[in-house]
PDB file of all heavy atoms in Angstrom:
ATOM      1  N   HIS A 254     -29.964  20.972   7.743  1.00  0.00           N
ATOM      2  CA  HIS A 254     -28.607  21.537   7.388  1.00  0.00           C
ATOM      3  C   HIS A 254     -28.141  21.101   6.004  1.00  0.00           C
ATOM      4  O   HIS A 254     -27.593  21.999   5.269  1.00  0.00           O
ATOM      5  CB  HIS A 254     -27.556  21.157   8.470  1.00  0.00           C
ATOM      6  CG  HIS A 254     -27.560  22.073   9.633  1.00  0.00           C
ATOM      7  ND1 HIS A 254     -26.845  23.233   9.637  1.00  0.00           N
ATOM      8  CD2 HIS A 254     -28.132  21.992  10.858  1.00  0.00           C
ATOM      9  CE1 HIS A 254     -26.973  23.864  10.811  1.00  0.00           C
ATOM     10  NE2 HIS A 254     -27.771  23.077  11.561  1.00  0.00           N
ATOM     11  N   GLY A 255     -28.360  19.865   5.643  1.00  0.00           N
ATOM     12  CA  GLY A 255     -27.923  19.366   4.378  1.00  0.00           C
ATOM     13  C   GLY A 255     -28.670  20.107   3.227  1.00  0.00           C
ATOM     14  O   GLY A 255     -28.022  20.506   2.217  1.00  0.00           O
ATOM     15  N   LYS A 256     -29.958  20.316   3.372  1.00  0.00           N
ATOM     16  CA  LYS A 256     -30.747  20.997   2.369  1.00  0.00           C
ATOM     17  C   LYS A 256     -30.236  22.445   2.256  1.00  0.00           C
ATOM     18  O   LYS A 256     -30.209  22.964   1.135  1.00  0.00           O
ATOM     19  CB  LYS A 256     -32.216  21.025   2.751  1.00  0.00           C
ATOM     20  CG  LYS A 256     -33.098  21.696   1.741  1.00  0.00           C
ATOM     21  CD  LYS A 256     -34.595  21.625   2.160  1.00  0.00           C
ATOM     22  CE  LYS A 256     -35.424  22.238   1.071  1.00  0.00           C
ATOM     23  NZ  LYS A 256     -35.141  23.619   0.700  1.00  0.00           N
ATOM     24  N   HIS A 257     -29.871  23.064   3.349  1.00  0.00           N
ATOM     25  CA  HIS A 257     -29.377  24.420   3.292  1.00  0.00           C
ATOM     26  C   HIS A 257     -28.084  24.494   2.462  1.00  0.00           C
ATOM     27  O   HIS A 257     -27.954  25.427   1.632  1.00  0.00           O
ATOM     28  CB  HIS A 257     -29.113  24.905   4.696  1.00  0.00           C
ATOM     29  CG  HIS A 257     -28.501  26.326   4.764  1.00  0.00           C
ATOM     30  ND1 HIS A 257     -29.195  27.433   4.294  1.00  0.00           N
ATOM     31  CD2 HIS A 257     -27.327  26.778   5.183  1.00  0.00           C
ATOM     32  CE1 HIS A 257     -28.422  28.503   4.462  1.00  0.00           C
ATOM     33  NE2 HIS A 257     -27.299  28.130   5.022  1.00  0.00           N
ATOM     34  N   ILE A 258     -27.182  23.533   2.602  1.00  0.00           N
ATOM     35  CA  ILE A 258     -25.998  23.547   1.834  1.00  0.00           C
ATOM     36  C   ILE A 258     -26.324  23.364   0.316  1.00  0.00           C
ATOM     37  O   ILE A 258     -25.830  24.078  -0.578  1.00  0.00           O
ATOM     38  CB  ILE A 258     -25.029  22.417   2.259  1.00  0.00           C
ATOM     39  CG1 ILE A 258     -24.563  22.559   3.728  1.00  0.00           C
ATOM     40  CG2 ILE A 258     -23.756  22.419   1.379  1.00  0.00           C
ATOM     41  CD1 ILE A 258     -23.773  21.357   4.223  1.00  0.00           C
ATOM     42  N   ALA A 259     -27.128  22.303   0.072  1.00  0.00           N
ATOM     43  CA  ALA A 259     -27.543  22.094  -1.312  1.00  0.00           C
ATOM     44  C   ALA A 259     -28.168  23.208  -1.992  1.00  0.00           C
ATOM     45  O   ALA A 259     -27.923  23.470  -3.162  1.00  0.00           O
ATOM     46  CB  ALA A 259     -28.422  20.819  -1.389  1.00  0.00           C
ATOM     47  N   ASP A 260     -29.018  23.934  -1.234  1.00  0.00           N
ATOM     48  CA  ASP A 260     -29.703  25.146  -1.830  1.00  0.00           C
ATOM     49  C   ASP A 260     -28.696  26.281  -2.157  1.00  0.00           C
ATOM     50  O   ASP A 260     -28.992  27.058  -3.063  1.00  0.00           O
ATOM     51  CB  ASP A 260     -30.739  25.627  -0.846  1.00  0.00           C
ATOM     52  CG  ASP A 260     -31.947  24.729  -0.740  1.00  0.00           C
ATOM     53  OD1 ASP A 260     -32.140  23.855  -1.622  1.00  0.00           O
ATOM     54  OD2 ASP A 260     -32.756  24.958   0.153  1.00  0.00           O
ATOM     55  N   LEU A 261     -27.615  26.345  -1.430  1.00  0.00           N
ATOM     56  CA  LEU A 261     -26.626  27.398  -1.666  1.00  0.00           C
ATOM     57  C   LEU A 261     -25.764  27.109  -2.888  1.00  0.00           C
ATOM     58  O   LEU A 261     -25.211  28.016  -3.512  1.00  0.00           O
ATOM     59  CB  LEU A 261     -25.718  27.535  -0.465  1.00  0.00           C
ATOM     60  CG  LEU A 261     -26.331  28.174   0.781  1.00  0.00           C
ATOM     61  CD1 LEU A 261     -25.286  28.095   1.941  1.00  0.00           C
ATOM     62  CD2 LEU A 261     -26.707  29.608   0.552  1.00  0.00           C
ATOM     63  N   LEU A 262     -25.629  25.845  -3.271  1.00  0.00           N
ATOM     64  CA  LEU A 262     -24.797  25.451  -4.415  1.00  0.00           C
ATOM     65  C   LEU A 262     -25.652  25.303  -5.662  1.00  0.00           C
ATOM     66  O   LEU A 262     -26.580  24.536  -5.752  1.00  0.00           O
ATOM     67  CB  LEU A 262     -24.122  24.103  -4.059  1.00  0.00           C
ATOM     68  CG  LEU A 262     -23.137  24.176  -2.927  1.00  0.00           C
ATOM     69  CD1 LEU A 262     -22.827  22.762  -2.382  1.00  0.00           C
ATOM     70  CD2 LEU A 262     -21.773  24.830  -3.342  1.00  0.00           C
ATOM     71  N   PRO A 263     -25.260  26.026  -6.741  1.00  0.00           N
ATOM     72  CA  PRO A 263     -26.040  25.910  -7.990  1.00  0.00           C
ATOM     73  C   PRO A 263     -26.178  24.502  -8.536  1.00  0.00           C
ATOM     74  O   PRO A 263     -27.217  24.185  -9.124  1.00  0.00           O
ATOM     75  CB  PRO A 263     -25.218  26.816  -8.937  1.00  0.00           C
ATOM     76  CG  PRO A 263     -24.499  27.761  -8.049  1.00  0.00           C
ATOM     77  CD  PRO A 263     -24.137  26.994  -6.811  1.00  0.00           C
ATOM     78  N   ASN A 264     -25.150  23.703  -8.381  1.00  0.00           N
ATOM     79  CA  ASN A 264     -25.195  22.322  -8.810  1.00  0.00           C
ATOM     80  C   ASN A 264     -25.216  21.332  -7.681  1.00  0.00           C
ATOM     81  O   ASN A 264     -24.712  20.238  -7.717  1.00  0.00           O
ATOM     82  CB  ASN A 264     -24.003  21.965  -9.660  1.00  0.00           C
ATOM     83  CG  ASN A 264     -24.034  22.691 -11.034  1.00  0.00           C
ATOM     84  OD1 ASN A 264     -25.083  22.901 -11.615  1.00  0.00           O
ATOM     85  ND2 ASN A 264     -22.912  23.228 -11.474  1.00  0.00           N
ATOM     86  N   GLY A 265     -25.911  21.764  -6.564  1.00  0.00           N
ATOM     87  CA  GLY A 265     -25.997  20.902  -5.401  1.00  0.00           C
ATOM     88  C   GLY A 265     -27.248  19.965  -5.478  1.00  0.00           C
ATOM     89  O   GLY A 265     -28.274  20.370  -5.957  1.00  0.00           O
ATOM     90  N   ARG A 266     -27.029  18.749  -4.978  1.00  0.00           N
ATOM     91  CA  ARG A 266     -28.103  17.768  -4.900  1.00  0.00           C
ATOM     92  C   ARG A 266     -28.119  17.133  -3.553  1.00  0.00           C
ATOM     93  O   ARG A 266     -27.063  16.665  -3.102  1.00  0.00           O
ATOM     94  CB  ARG A 266     -27.899  16.762  -6.013  1.00  0.00           C
ATOM     95  CG  ARG A 266     -28.969  15.602  -6.059  1.00  0.00           C
ATOM     96  CD  ARG A 266     -28.791  14.735  -7.296  1.00  0.00           C
ATOM     97  NE  ARG A 266     -27.500  14.002  -7.315  1.00  0.00           N
ATOM     98  CZ  ARG A 266     -27.333  12.840  -6.742  1.00  0.00           C
ATOM     99  NH1 ARG A 266     -28.369  12.217  -6.131  1.00  0.00           N
ATOM    100  NH2 ARG A 266     -26.201  12.232  -6.839  1.00  0.00           N
ATOM    101  N   LEU A 267     -29.292  17.027  -2.955  1.00  0.00           N
ATOM    102  CA  LEU A 267     -29.383  16.527  -1.567  1.00  0.00           C
ATOM    103  C   LEU A 267     -29.869  15.027  -1.590  1.00  0.00           C
ATOM    104  O   LEU A 267     -30.784  14.670  -2.283  1.00  0.00           O
ATOM    105  CB  LEU A 267     -30.354  17.328  -0.796  1.00  0.00           C
ATOM    106  CG  LEU A 267     -30.713  16.787   0.609  1.00  0.00           C
ATOM    107  CD1 LEU A 267     -29.505  16.919   1.535  1.00  0.00           C
ATOM    108  CD2 LEU A 267     -31.913  17.586   1.217  1.00  0.00           C
ATOM    109  N   VAL A 268     -29.157  14.234  -0.812  1.00  0.00           N
ATOM    110  CA  VAL A 268     -29.634  12.860  -0.516  1.00  0.00           C
ATOM    111  C   VAL A 268     -29.700  12.720   1.002  1.00  0.00           C
ATOM    112  O   VAL A 268     -28.614  12.905   1.664  1.00  0.00           O
ATOM    113  CB  VAL A 268     -28.705  11.795  -1.128  1.00  0.00           C
ATOM    114  CG1 VAL A 268     -29.080  10.418  -0.569  1.00  0.00           C
ATOM    115  CG2 VAL A 268     -28.772  11.793  -2.620  1.00  0.00           C
ATOM    116  N   GLU A 269     -30.810  12.381   1.556  1.00  0.00           N
ATOM    117  CA  GLU A 269     -30.909  12.117   2.972  1.00  0.00           C
ATOM    118  C   GLU A 269     -30.917  10.586   3.187  1.00  0.00           C
ATOM    119  O   GLU A 269     -31.701   9.881   2.581  1.00  0.00           O
ATOM    120  CB  GLU A 269     -32.172  12.714   3.550  1.00  0.00           C
ATOM    121  CG  GLU A 269     -32.240  12.472   5.046  1.00  0.00           C
ATOM    122  CD  GLU A 269     -33.322  13.362   5.744  1.00  0.00           C
ATOM    123  OE1 GLU A 269     -33.425  14.566   5.456  1.00  0.00           O
ATOM    124  OE2 GLU A 269     -34.105  12.779   6.566  1.00  0.00           O
ATOM    125  N   VAL A 270     -29.957  10.125   4.011  1.00  0.00           N
ATOM    126  CA  VAL A 270     -29.823   8.720   4.298  1.00  0.00           C
ATOM    127  C   VAL A 270     -30.491   8.391   5.611  1.00  0.00           C
ATOM    128  O   VAL A 270     -30.079   8.889   6.708  1.00  0.00           O
ATOM    129  CB  VAL A 270     -28.336   8.315   4.294  1.00  0.00           C
ATOM    130  CG1 VAL A 270     -28.176   6.830   4.652  1.00  0.00           C
ATOM    131  CG2 VAL A 270     -27.626   8.598   3.003  1.00  0.00           C
ATOM    132  N   ASP A 271     -31.568   7.612   5.536  1.00  0.00           N
ATOM    133  CA  ASP A 271     -32.364   7.278   6.726  1.00  0.00           C
ATOM    134  C   ASP A 271     -31.500   6.464   7.731  1.00  0.00           C
ATOM    135  O   ASP A 271     -30.880   5.463   7.305  1.00  0.00           O
ATOM    136  CB  ASP A 271     -33.610   6.489   6.322  1.00  0.00           C
ATOM    137  CG  ASP A 271     -34.520   6.277   7.487  1.00  0.00           C
ATOM    138  OD1 ASP A 271     -34.732   7.249   8.243  1.00  0.00           O
ATOM    139  OD2 ASP A 271     -34.995   5.168   7.609  1.00  0.00           O
ATOM    140  N   GLY A 272     -31.456   6.867   8.925  1.00  0.00           N
ATOM    141  CA  GLY A 272     -30.707   6.172   9.981  1.00  0.00           C
ATOM    142  C   GLY A 272     -29.320   6.635  10.167  1.00  0.00           C
ATOM    143  O   GLY A 272     -28.664   6.238  11.138  1.00  0.00           O
ATOM    144  N   LEU A 273     -28.817   7.468   9.284  1.00  0.00           N
ATOM    145  CA  LEU A 273     -27.414   7.861   9.373  1.00  0.00           C
ATOM    146  C   LEU A 273     -27.228   9.001  10.390  1.00  0.00           C
ATOM    147  O   LEU A 273     -28.005   9.966  10.410  1.00  0.00           O
ATOM    148  CB  LEU A 273     -26.860   8.371   7.984  1.00  0.00           C
ATOM    149  CG  LEU A 273     -25.423   8.946   7.961  1.00  0.00           C
ATOM    150  CD1 LEU A 273     -24.407   7.805   8.211  1.00  0.00           C
ATOM    151  CD2 LEU A 273     -25.188   9.600   6.576  1.00  0.00           C
ATOM    152  N   GLY A 274     -26.263   8.832  11.317  1.00  0.00           N
ATOM    153  CA  GLY A 274     -25.936   9.860  12.270  1.00  0.00           C
ATOM    154  C   GLY A 274     -24.713  10.639  11.781  1.00  0.00           C
ATOM    155  O   GLY A 274     -24.593  10.922  10.574  1.00  0.00           O
ATOM    156  N   HIS A 275     -23.849  11.018  12.712  1.00  0.00           N
ATOM    157  CA  HIS A 275     -22.628  11.716  12.380  1.00  0.00           C
ATOM    158  C   HIS A 275     -21.409  10.780  12.433  1.00  0.00           C
ATOM    159  O   HIS A 275     -20.497  10.925  13.222  1.00  0.00           O
ATOM    160  CB  HIS A 275     -22.416  12.860  13.411  1.00  0.00           C
ATOM    161  CG  HIS A 275     -21.549  13.949  12.881  1.00  0.00           C
ATOM    162  ND1 HIS A 275     -21.907  14.999  12.124  1.00  0.00           N
ATOM    163  CD2 HIS A 275     -20.201  14.141  13.140  1.00  0.00           C
ATOM    164  CE1 HIS A 275     -20.932  15.761  11.864  1.00  0.00           C
ATOM    165  NE2 HIS A 275     -19.856  15.283  12.466  1.00  0.00           N
ATOM    166  N   CYS A 276     -21.493   9.770  11.567  1.00  0.00           N
ATOM    167  CA  CYS A 276     -20.479   8.690  11.567  1.00  0.00           C
ATOM    168  C   CYS A 276     -20.668   7.858  10.338  1.00  0.00           C
ATOM    169  O   CYS A 276     -21.497   8.151   9.447  1.00  0.00           O
ATOM    170  CB  CYS A 276     -20.616   7.825  12.874  1.00  0.00           C
ATOM    171  SG  CYS A 276     -22.204   7.021  12.970  1.00  0.00           S
ATOM    172  N   LEU A 277     -19.871   6.744  10.260  1.00  0.00           N
ATOM    173  CA  LEU A 277     -19.936   5.824   9.125  1.00  0.00           C
ATOM    174  C   LEU A 277     -20.200   4.438   9.658  1.00  0.00           C
ATOM    175  O   LEU A 277     -19.274   3.587   9.742  1.00  0.00           O
ATOM    176  CB  LEU A 277     -18.626   5.894   8.362  1.00  0.00           C
ATOM    177  CG  LEU A 277     -18.302   7.195   7.693  1.00  0.00           C
ATOM    178  CD1 LEU A 277     -16.841   7.239   7.251  1.00  0.00           C
ATOM    179  CD2 LEU A 277     -19.210   7.398   6.456  1.00  0.00           C
ATOM    180  N   PRO A 278     -21.462   4.077   9.927  1.00  0.00           N
ATOM    181  CA  PRO A 278     -21.733   2.732  10.414  1.00  0.00           C
ATOM    182  C   PRO A 278     -21.593   1.659   9.289  1.00  0.00           C
ATOM    183  O   PRO A 278     -21.888   1.946   8.134  1.00  0.00           O
ATOM    184  CB  PRO A 278     -23.180   2.838  10.866  1.00  0.00           C
ATOM    185  CG  PRO A 278     -23.781   3.940  10.032  1.00  0.00           C
ATOM    186  CD  PRO A 278     -22.673   4.897   9.812  1.00  0.00           C
TER     187      PRO A 278
END
Side-chain angles (χ1 to χ4, degrees):
H254 274 277
K256 182 178 185 302
H257 178 62
I258 302 174
D260 287 347
L261 290 173
L262 294 163
N264 291 322
R266 178 171 65 89
L267 174 68
V268 170
E269 184 167 312
V270 177
D271 188 42
L273 178 66
H275 198 84
C276 61
L277 293 165

